[in-house]
Each structure stands twice: as structure tokens, then as C-alpha cells.
Amino acid sequence: MMLAPNVFIEEHKNDSFEQLIAEKNALIAEINELEKIAFDKTKSDPAWGIHPGPDVLYQTDLEYLAELCNFIKDKYNSEIVWGNIED
């Protein structure tokens, strides 16, 4: 089942920085693999027979990565740079 990007982030909101970075790296690795398939004009890879297809997975992973990077940035600023100082 595919998640909305905000739901994906909600599932990771209590992760440590190490876990968040591991998730980021896993997404990047998956995106790299999907690029090999999604940009192949022959669409001969068996992944094209699975739904959702690699084109949809690619777009979704990009959305997850964008949200995750923003979340990591915000968490870094809040917890590391500002030390959890509340306004």
C-alpha cells in the first residue's frame, strides 16, 4: 500500500537521526535502481508487470525523499542547532 508523503513522515517522526539517515539512504538506493528501469524506453524489465509500476514507485519515492529531507532538516535545526529551545 502506498502512503501519502505526510503519513510516511508521521511513521518516522520518532526515529533517531541514525534511523532517518538510514531511511534516506535506502530511498536513494531504491530511486537509483528505479531510474534504471523507469528510464528504459523498452520497458522490458519484469517490474513493469507489477502494480504499482516502477514509474509510480519512482515518483512516490521522490516525494518521500523530499519530505524526509525537509523533516531531517527541521529536526536537525530544532534538536541540534537550537537544542530544543521553544519559542
Side-chain angles (χ1 to χ4, degrees):
M1 180 170 93
M2 313 264 319
L3 303 173
N6 63 318
V7 175
F8 173 80
I9 294 302
E10 186 66 26
E11 290 189 348
H12 293 282
K13 71 177 186 176
N14 295 319
D15 287 0
S16 68
F17 280 105
E18 293 80 14
Q19 291 169 314
L20 292 171
I21 290 168
E23 186 65 31
K24 174 190 62 88
N25 291 339
L27 279 170
I28 290 170
E30 186 171 332
I31 288 167
N32 286 331
E33 290 302 312
L34 285 168
E35 285 175 342
K36 295 173 189 171
I37 299 167
F39 293 124
D40 179 10
K41 294 187 187 305
T42 66
K43 296 186 178 183
S44 59
D45 192 284
W48 285 103
I50 301 170
H51 296 284
D55 53 343
V56 173
L57 293 174
Y58 179 68
Q59 293 174 63
T60 302
D61 280 354
L62 288 173
E63 291 177 3
Y64 290 170
L65 180 61
E67 291 294 323
L68 184 60
C69 287
N70 280 325
F71 179 72
I72 291 170
K73 173 195 58 99
D74 291 343
K75 184 172 178 147
Y76 175 78
N77 283 326
S78 171
E79 295 182 13
I80 305 300
V81 175
W82 298 107
N84 281 327
I85 298 173
E86 297 293 325
D87 292 318

